[in-house]
Amino acid sequence: MASETLPEDKKYYEEYFTYLKAKNLSEANMKRVASHLNGLLKYYNLTDQFGDLKATNKKQRGLTHSDFITEPDTLTLLKSVISPKDLTDMQLEIHKHIAFRNYSILILLLRYGLTINEVVSLNIKDINFSQNTLTVLTTKGSRLLEISKEDKRIFYKYFSEIPSLFRPKDYTDDPLFISFHPQKMVYWYDYNLNSPKRISLIGVKRMIEKEVKRSGIKSRARSTHFRNSCILKKIQDGHSNETIIYYFGLSSRHALYRFKRYLKSK
């Protein structure tokens, strides 16, 4: 089966990485490709044949304070996203509809360290309002996260205020976070799929950029800063490597080394 699916000569993988480098793929994406391929090799018992694949020999740079968002900036950003500060009349009308959607998304990024991909991929059935839990599904598997009662109330406020015609249907694969149509002042609904339209990755990234700018915080914080800060806090709180790896869906404890080196350098 393996021989029909994956080449058993390491040179083919090296040639593939050379091809990706020629296409100017980023270091982060190169490593992501290598991680997926290593998972396949392990599944087909080919790892022992030529070891783990490495997309690059370049070492990751050390983390600095600029790779994180501070707790005061986090609080400022969360407070700002639901405020009407510096919004035009038109923006205020839109804000009435999407403030708690954006608030909910930022909470998951800032407080729980989810990636944007994970947030965008969430379905309504993944959140259990009665049990205060959230199931995060990825290609690496699933993990169950406990959410605070306060955060659950915020998520539920966003969900319950969506007009019933456009609201994700309970216990289905309908998206948890849905797109908003600013011209029509309604949430998007895909009548071909008979489902609300999922918010896009680009849509979330643009929202973060706008809200960071509007909040007035000095840092140019993005989702990676949010996740980095969540991981660092878990380490500082004394959680085990295994717990942190599970909580954030990391590939291995090697992903934690940069954070531990950073803490030692402080």
Side-chain angles (χ1 to χ4, degrees):
M1 177 67 178
S3 61
E4 297 175 6
T5 310
L6 294 171
E8 298 185 42
D9 192 324
K10 193 173 183 177
K11 72 175 184 179
Y12 292 109
Y13 300 97
E14 292 172 343
E15 289 173 358
Y16 179 54
F17 289 130
T18 299
Y19 165 77
L20 294 179
K21 287 177 184 176
K23 291 289 184 180
N24 293 319
L25 205 67
S26 70
E27 293 287 330
N29 283 329
M30 292 276 286
K31 289 176 180 177
R32 201 167 289 121
V33 170
S35 177
H36 288 310
L37 284 174
N38 281 323
L40 286 171
L41 293 175
K42 184 176 181 181
Y43 178 80
Y44 288 118
N45 298 313
L46 290 174
T47 302
D48 292 339
Q49 191 164 321
F50 43 73
D52 284 341
L53 299 174
K54 291 184 179 180
T56 175
N57 291 321
K58 185 182 291 186
K59 290 184 177 180
Q60 285 184 305
R61 67 169 179 81
L63 293 168
T64 69
H65 72 279
S66 62
D67 292 303
F68 304 93
I69 182 171
T70 65
E71 184 61 17
D73 279 353
T74 293
L75 295 174
T76 297
L77 181 55
L78 289 175
K79 183 178 179 180
S80 173
V81 73
I82 53 173
S83 80
K85 182 184 71 170
D86 298 331
L87 295 176
T88 65
D89 289 343
M90 177 62 73
Q91 289 171 332
L92 278 171
E93 286 300 311
I94 298 171
H95 186 258
K96 292 176 184 177
H97 298 281
I98 65 173
F100 275 85
R101 181 202 66 180
N102 294 350
Y103 192 20
S104 299
I105 290 173
L106 283 175
I107 284 173
L108 290 175
L109 296 169
L110 286 159
R111 294 295 188 214
Y112 298 87
L114 269 65
T115 66
I116 294 182
N117 274 318
E118 289 171 344
V119 168
V120 168
S121 300
L122 287 172
N123 296 325
I124 189 62
K125 70 178 183 182
D126 296 329
I127 188 166
N128 189 321
F129 288 111
S130 61
Q131 297 295 321
N132 300 338
T133 59
L134 182 74
T135 300
V136 182
L137 295 170
T138 68
T139 54
K140 298 176 183 177
S142 67
R143 58 192 198 273
L144 188 68
L145 307 184
E146 185 176 343
I147 56 178
S148 72
K149 290 182 179 179
E150 180 182 351
D151 290 339
K152 179 193 71 171
R153 285 193 287 270
I154 292 167
F155 301 154
Y156 191 74
K157 179 175 175 61
Y158 149 67
F159 171 74
S160 61
E161 290 184 353
I162 301 171
S164 57
L165 179 63
F166 307 99
R167 188 183 304 156
K169 295 181 284 295
D170 286 335
Y171 313 113
T172 69
D173 288 326
D174 282 358
L176 175 58
F177 295 114
I178 56 182
S179 294
F180 188 77
H181 197 310
Q183 284 77 37
K184 296 183 178 180
M185 291 291 179
V186 295
Y187 278 101
W188 280 91
Y189 195 87
D190 190 328
Y191 289 97
N192 291 324
L193 296 176
N194 193 29
S195 169
K197 185 178 180 181
R198 190 179 301 274
I199 193 170
S200 69
L201 195 72
I202 296 298
V204 174
K205 287 183 177 180
R206 287 176 178 167
M207 181 273 288
I208 293 171
E209 291 175 4
K210 289 178 181 177
E211 293 301 338
V212 165
K213 183 178 180 180
R214 188 166 74 94
S215 72
I217 61 177
K218 293 181 180 179
S219 62
R220 291 174 56 82
R222 296 294 182 264
S223 61
T224 51
H225 298 82
F226 306 160
R227 183 170 168 86
N228 285 347
S229 299
C230 289
I231 294 173
L232 189 69
K233 187 175 188 305
K234 284 287 185 186
I235 295 173
Q236 290 175 313
D237 288 345
H239 293 280
S240 68
N241 289 341
E242 289 71 24
T243 298
I244 298 172
I245 288 168
Y246 170 80
Y247 190 93
F248 295 103
L250 303 175
S251 55
S252 72
R253 66 177 59 201
H254 294 286
L256 300 177
Y257 290 167
R258 282 205 308 161
F259 295 90
K260 295 189 175 184
R261 286 196 295 269
Y262 170 75
L263 286 173
K264 286 181 179 180
S265 70
K266 290 180 67 178

